[in-house]
Structures are given as C-alpha cells and as structure tokens.
Amino acid sequence: MTQRLPTYFISHGGGPWPWLDDWRQMLQGLERSLADMPRQIGSKPKAVLMISGHWEEDSFAVMSSPKPPMVYDYYGFPKYTYDIVYPAPGDPALAREVADLIAAAGLPTRLDPTRGFDHGTFAPLAIMYPQADMPVIQVALKGNLDPAEHLALGRALTPLRDQGVLIVGSGFSFHNLRLMGPQGAAPSAAFDGWLQETVVAAKPSAREAGLIAWEKAPSARLAHPREEHLLPLMVAAGAAQGDRASCVYHENTVFGAITASSFRFDAAA
C-alpha cells in the first residue's frame, strides 16, 4: 500500500527567479525549503499535481497534454529566461482520473490538451525536482475565486494522496506587487500572523471556516488585492481534510521586508 503523501501550499517566489542570480540570492530561504521537500516526503511521488495561482479558467480545468509546453507568463526579464524548459512529461490518463474525481464531486471541469507549465509550476519544481523525471499536471483555478469551491476541489483530490500523487498549491502568502518593499512589511506580517493562527494553530475542524472568511483577516485586502495567489492554499487545505499543518518556510526579508510562509499538511505534522 502506498503511503499517504502530505499536501503543500508553497510561496513560489517571483517570475523565473531560480535563473536570476540576484533573485536567487534574495530567496535563499525559499530555495532551501523547496529543496528539502523531497526529503520530507521520503519516497519519490508517482506524479506531481500543481495548482498554480497563474492559471484561471471559467471552470476547473486539467492539463492533459502528454508533453506540456512552456508558458512564459512574465515580462521584462532577460531573453534567456524565455528559453527555459522544464521537460517533465504530462500524464493524460492521470489527467482523466483527476477530471473524473472533480466531476464526481459535482464541480465543473474539463480537460485542456494545450495548456503548458507556467512559472508557478516550473520555477519551484526546478528546485524541488530538477531532474524533471516524473509526470506533472496542473489544475486551473476557477475564475470566480470562491474559497469554498476551491476547498471542495481539494477534498475531491484527496484520494490521489493514497496513489502517490503529490498535491502542491503554488501561490504566495502575500501578493500585492505595489507593496513589495518596506511599505509591505506591516500588512504582510499582520496577514501572516493570521495565517499562522488559522492554518497551523487552529484545529483542522475550524480551519476551513477560517479560510472561507479570509477577507476578515488583518490586512487581508492589502495582502491580496486579488486572491488568485491565496486560493491554492484552499486547495491544499481541502485535500488535507483533517490533517494538521506545520509551517515549513517562514521569513520576513523577502523583497527586503515582506513576510512570507509555506505550509505542509500531514497527519504527523
């Protein structure tokens, strides 16, 4: 029997940061946390399922290409960063299984045979699994960004954890590009404090209610003027169901002053 895998919500950094020396230096703590994930997980996953804050559709959608292309969804970076390739294969059979699980939960979904890896997927995976030797698929956020629906998506995906599929919500615990500097220090710290209380300290039975009401958190809309980078947390927490959470990455010097965190959900956490 395959051991049940944990789920994760990761703060994934910015743009093609692993290929930029100055950004990589700034994000050393994040890099260490991502590089440590294979050790934490133990056995090599059968596949990785990523929910990135950089893919939204009118319904949930599942990447189904056997050889996903690249999506360079960033602007103003050096030319070579538009030639990056993360050559992991897709898995059409797994994509169909994922879509069936989502549909069985009464949620709208479809297969997408053309979608490729965006930087919310390929940048952290380049650190986590640089060999790119296991299948990777993405699932799109639903564009209404409803937290309850994304928690339900996570619950629908839970059986995959027992099949060796690693579920990773890839976003950022603070995502206000206008406050990425000293002016973001206070709101990012306030919102992160709420995350630590709601995700880690609270009982799992109370966690979902807290996440659904995230807009009531301190500095919520300063931390997330639009919540697409927070919703992957809902999916990871939904897939965790009753598992406890731990904080596996936390620092307050990102982009000079921003507090950011990542979380692991595991029965042993």
Side-chain angles (χ1 to χ4, degrees):
M1 180 178 178
T2 303
Q3 182 179 359
R4 171 168 281 200
L5 293 182
T7 71
Y8 285 85
F9 168 73
I10 60 171
S11 289
H12 63 221
W17 67 269
W19 293 269
L20 303 169
D21 290 344
D22 53 344
W23 284 41
R24 193 162 183 169
Q25 177 70 21
M26 175 185 65
L27 295 172
Q28 287 183 73
L30 175 60
E31 180 170 354
R32 285 193 296 269
S33 73
L34 294 172
D36 191 52
M37 285 172 61
R39 181 198 63 79
Q40 296 173 21
I41 294 161
S43 60
K44 181 180 176 181
K46 182 182 81 172
V48 179
L49 186 154
M50 300 284 282
I51 304 93
S52 167
H54 292 278
W55 185 23
E56 299 174 37
E57 297 289 346
D58 57 356
S59 72
F60 297 118
V62 185
M63 174 190 292
S64 60
S65 170
K67 189 176 180 181
M70 303 294 291
V71 177
Y72 305 111
D73 54 340
Y74 41 75
Y75 306 94
F77 289 94
K79 183 178 182 300
Y80 68 86
T81 64
Y82 300 88
D83 296 321
I84 293 165
V85 175
Y86 186 76
D91 189 331
L94 177 60
R96 167 54 64 187
E97 181 180 356
V98 170
D100 288 346
L101 287 171
I102 297 171
L107 300 169
T109 191
R110 61 179 176 80
L111 295 173
D112 189 319
T114 63
R115 176 69 185 191
F117 299 137
D118 61 57
H119 77 268
T121 289
F122 71 75
L125 281 177
I127 303 299
M128 294 162 56
Y129 293 107
Q131 300 84 2
D133 58 354
M134 70 184 75
V136 176
I137 64 173
Q138 285 189 228
V139 175
L141 300 173
K142 188 178 176 188
N144 66 354
L145 303 181
D146 178 75
E149 282 195 72
H150 288 80
L151 284 158
L153 170 64
R155 289 193 295 271
L157 299 176
T158 299
L160 298 171
R161 298 176 60 195
D162 296 316
Q163 300 174 28
V165 177
L166 177 65
I167 299 172
V168 180
S170 177
F172 214 112
S173 60
F174 178 88
H175 194 255
N176 185 336
L177 299 183
R178 294 184 177 183
L179 298 183
M180 285 295 185
Q183 64 272 38
S188 67
F191 189 73
D192 191 87
W194 175 85
L195 282 174
Q196 300 296 335
E197 182 66 29
T198 303
V199 177
V200 178
K203 292 181 179 179
S205 58
R207 184 170 60 215
E208 287 200 3
L211 290 174
I212 287 172
W214 75 272
E215 287 182 275
K216 297 179 181 178
S219 298
R221 280 299 178 188
L222 287 175
H224 293 277
R226 192 173 183 275
E227 57 266 42
E228 81 285 346
H229 274 63
L230 184 65
L231 267 292
L233 170 61
M234 313 305 182
V235 184
Q241 298 203 15
D243 287 354
R244 298 300 298 243
S246 57
C247 183
V248 292
Y249 162 70
H250 177 80
E251 60 182 328
N252 58 11
T253 57
V254 179
F255 296 102
I258 299 302
T259 300
S261 294
S262 300
F263 302 99
R264 166 188 166 115
F265 298 87
D266 190 297

